[in-house]
Amino acid sequence: MKYLLKNGTVVSGSGMISQDVLIDGEKIVRVGENLSAEDAEVMDVSGKLLFPGFIDGHTHFDLEVAETVTADDFETGTKAAILGGTTLVIDYASQDKGGHTLKEGLEKWHGKADGKCSCDYSFHMSVVEWNEQTEKEIQDMIDEGITSFKLYMTYPAMIVNDCDLYKILKKLGECGCFAGVHCENAGVIDALISEAKKQGRTGPENHPLVRPDTMEAEAVHRLLVIAKEADAPVMVVHLTNRKAYEEIMKARREGQTVYAETCPQYLLLDDSAYSKPDFGGAVYVCAPPIRKKEDQDCLWDALKKEDIQTVATDQCSFTLDQKALGRDDFTKIPGGLPGVQTRGTLLYTYGVRTGKITEAQMCRFLCENPAKLYGVYPKKGVIREGSDADIVVLDPEKESVISAKTHAYNTDNNPFEGFALHCAIDDVFLRGHHAVQDGKLKEEKLGTFIPRGKNTLKAEK
């Protein structure tokens, strides 16, 4: 099928230009002015912005958490994703502790995702147990197109100690790969949780108190000291606060390669949400927690200066009934929020329209940078001849309000409930398929697994 998108404004990481885009099959075949093609279906996109398909490098679908499973699996989650303009998600496959292999983890996640996705997908590999077998498997994962990894400094089922953290980072660096790391000080958090329970503090308002910004910043500092010794690049995922940001900047000034990611919840919500009445704060429980207004301001400033490379979601959704598992003990509230459907529209409304960032920067954060970081550029992440025809048609003037009543998640709550949007995603092309038309999903389960190469984003120091 051929499509000719006429009279739109193409957005790239370097700016915006009025151009037409010709799609033939799965590829973009021409980008230029005054294009014509007699056998193409012509779409007039006057007044619209054409972004490359958004890439979300941090999602959790069909994940077991706190004795339950996320409300959104790969089928429902990727429907929400593509409606929000995301044409590629990178979820987290995971090795299990107890002598299990990376191969087993990858096969398990393929079983969860294959044939169910409405956008393209890939995986990072979470390493939770380090031994000779696991070390040998790193190259096997690379050969399978899994070129980025995940490490946890918290959670009993996932945590790796500092010794193994060093060994893993060193090995990944030698292979030309890197790990994204969840940075929180598990030991002190456990002590703070114990204190809270002894004092009878069991409500969700205690969640940010037992996981303070200092314990994220301490873990970031420790990670970066270890990474420096291992001579390895790293990414700090879901960065939330000024103290942790300052640790990253200090390491960069000393010559280290450190990438950073943040999420809409840390840019637009603050910790007062945890004190909402009638257990309402449970909706916002995630780790690391949502921080304070001054931390929001720091993160927006860091985006403006491009000290943060990507905005992902850490999508991990639950129903109110699932959140209620922790009604008598806030530590049993499943942690996570939905986000894949609203990331782009929130960033445009509250970032671009307010002048905090530009359209070109939004393109870098959602498209070009993740494509380069995760080894799929220029196949994805750019509107260019020869690239996959992944295109988001964004109307910058339409208005709406976010509501759980109308979203596509398999949940009955939305952390951004009531947020006004001043833009809308009208159409989405996925490898040349007109998957979303006039804001509605018309073609489902078109997603395919995308093997990835290695990071090509210029090192940040």
Side-chain angles (χ1 to χ4, degrees), residues 139-371:
Q139 186 58 50
D140 295 337
M141 293 297 103
I142 296 170
D143 294 342
E144 292 285 341
I146 308 298
T147 54
S148 50
F149 297 79
K150 177 74 175 285
L151 300 172
Y152 290 83
M153 300 174 76
T154 188
Y155 303 137
M158 310 297 290
I159 192 170
V160 295
N161 61 38
D162 289 354
C163 173
D164 287 344
L165 188 62
Y166 168 81
K167 292 177 181 178
I168 297 166
L169 292 178
K170 188 174 181 68
K171 176 65 176 180
L172 295 180
E174 290 170 350
C175 293
C177 298
F178 69 92
V181 185
H182 180 132
C183 297
E184 289 184 285
N185 184 310
V188 175
I189 288 170
D190 286 345
L192 292 170
I193 288 172
S194 179
E195 287 180 4
K197 288 184 175 181
K198 285 180 180 178
Q199 295 166 7
R201 296 189 284 119
T202 60
E205 67 276 5
N206 294 287
H207 177 68
L209 304 180
V210 302
R211 307 185 88 99
D213 57 353
T214 52
M215 291 300 101
E216 181 181 346
E218 185 281 331
V220 170
H221 173 81
R222 182 159 37 99
L223 166 69
L224 298 181
V225 169
I226 294 169
K228 184 175 184 178
E229 192 65 31
D231 192 24
V234 289
M235 167 174 270
V236 176
V237 298
H238 46 48
L239 178 69
T240 76
N241 70 84
R242 177 179 294 279
K243 293 183 177 71
Y245 164 73
E246 289 173 347
E247 294 289 348
I248 291 170
M249 297 309 295
K250 179 176 182 292
R252 286 182 183 162
R253 288 193 296 270
E254 294 176 358
Q256 286 186 249
T257 299
V258 187
Y259 303 103
E261 162 202 285
T262 194
C263 309
Q265 56 266 35
Y266 304 123
L267 294 167
L268 297 171
L269 302 172
D270 66 71
D271 61 0
S272 65
Y274 294 114
S275 298
K276 288 192 173 186
D278 301 322
F279 199 61
V283 166
Y284 304 91
V285 168
C286 60
I290 295 159
R291 306 295 186 187
K292 299 188 178 301
K293 178 62 168 61
E294 51 263 38
D295 294 306
Q296 288 181 22
D297 295 341
C298 172
L299 295 175
W300 278 116
D301 186 59
L303 284 172
K304 185 172 185 176
K305 294 187 291 188
E306 301 194 44
D307 292 334
I308 293 172
Q309 284 66 53
T310 72
V311 178
T313 62
D314 197 8
Q315 158 86 29
C316 193
S317 59
F318 299 97
T319 65
L320 292 175
D321 281 348
Q322 288 176 301
K323 290 284 187 177
L325 293 170
R327 182 170 289 276
D328 299 321
D329 178 354
F330 71 94
T331 66
K332 294 182 180 179
I333 299 170
L337 314 174
V340 292
Q341 190 171 350
T342 55
R343 177 180 56 138
T345 47
L346 284 170
L347 200 62
Y348 186 86
T349 299
Y350 294 95
V352 174
R353 291 193 70 91
T354 61
K356 292 183 175 71
I357 60 172
T358 66
E359 291 92 342
Q361 287 180 310
M362 176 171 159
C363 185
R364 289 198 284 276
F365 300 142
L366 300 190
C367 313
E368 288 190 10
N369 286 355

